[in-house]
Amino acid sequence: MVALKIIEDIKSEYREAFIEFANIDTVKERLGHKKSIFQEFQSSTVGWFRAQYIRVEGIDEDCFTVIYTIENIDDEKRREEQLIKMSTTDELTRLYNRRAYDEDISSFNDSMPDDLVFVTADVNGLKQTNDSLGHEAGDELICGVSSVCTISALV
């Protein structure tokens, strides 16, 4: 009954993978010669957690012994998501940057949807604005252009 409650708590998109990972009958084969294996899942109540099997050596050579651990990694996942967002977002405009564009394009694998539109903008005269009015004015120009592009894309 407890095992069923745990499985029900796993978010539906991770449930099948969790059941497969938790299957004790296949652990020896999945471990092979490795010391441990782990997988990350998301629960409805506690957030992200890492389940792990660790092989215990030297107890009994005829007996296969493992320790099963579960570790809450919700804070770690939040930091990871924040770092990913920072690496794909322009700090000034909060728009996606070139890295996000490259990742999005590569994810399509030659099957680009017909209704997909990517908008890029180049601000002419930015160097002249920075040189004559200062970088704050250049930043303001970039933000103004990005807000116009964002509004235009939404319309």
Side-chain angles (χ1 to χ4, degrees):
M1 196 66 160
V2 173
L4 188 57
K5 176 79 173 127
I6 292 170
I7 292 170
E8 288 175 356
D9 190 46
I10 304 296
K11 286 199 169 183
S12 60
E13 60 265 32
Y14 297 97
R15 199 168 289 145
E16 188 175 319
F18 178 77
I19 291 168
E20 186 177 316
F21 185 80
N23 184 351
I24 194 73
D25 296 329
T26 62
V27 171
K28 186 174 185 177
E29 179 184 323
R30 288 183 285 142
L31 264 169
H33 296 292
K34 295 177 244 169
K35 295 266 187 196
S36 67
I37 56 173
F38 70 89
Q39 205 162 337
E40 297 171 350
F41 304 99
Q42 196 172 25
S43 131
S44 301
T45 56
V46 297
W48 284 96
F49 67 94
R50 181 178 295 125
Q52 181 174 17
Y53 288 103
I54 305 167
R55 178 193 310 270
V56 179
E57 301 285 346
I59 291 181
D60 182 354
E61 291 192 21
D62 296 331
C63 182
F64 179 76
T65 308
V66 293
I67 297 172
Y68 182 73
T69 65
I70 295 178
E71 174 186 11
N72 185 316
I73 58 167
D74 209 42
D75 290 340
E76 184 180 322
K77 282 293 193 178
R78 256 189 250 115
R79 281 191 302 276
E80 181 182 311
E81 288 171 9
Q82 183 180 12
L83 289 172
I84 289 170
K85 184 175 181 178
M86 287 171 54
S87 74
T88 58
T89 308
D90 179 74
E91 187 177 346
L92 181 64
T93 63
R94 302 289 179 220
L95 296 175
Y96 289 121
N97 62 19
R98 178 63 185 254
R99 170 178 277 159
Y101 167 81
D102 289 341
E103 288 175 6
D104 284 349
I105 290 294
S106 68
S107 71
F108 287 113
N109 299 331
D110 300 331
S111 60
M112 195 82 84
D114 292 335
D115 60 348
L116 179 70
V117 177
F118 275 99
V119 177
T120 61
D122 183 28
V123 181
N124 292 329
L126 179 60
K127 181 175 177 0
Q128 182 181 9
T129 301
N130 282 339
D131 291 347
S132 62
L133 301 173
H135 287 279
E136 284 185 22
D139 289 352
E140 193 173 324
L141 177 60
I142 291 170
C143 288
V145 170
S146 72
S147 67
V148 169
C149 290
T150 303
I151 292 168
S152 299
L154 295 175
V155 174

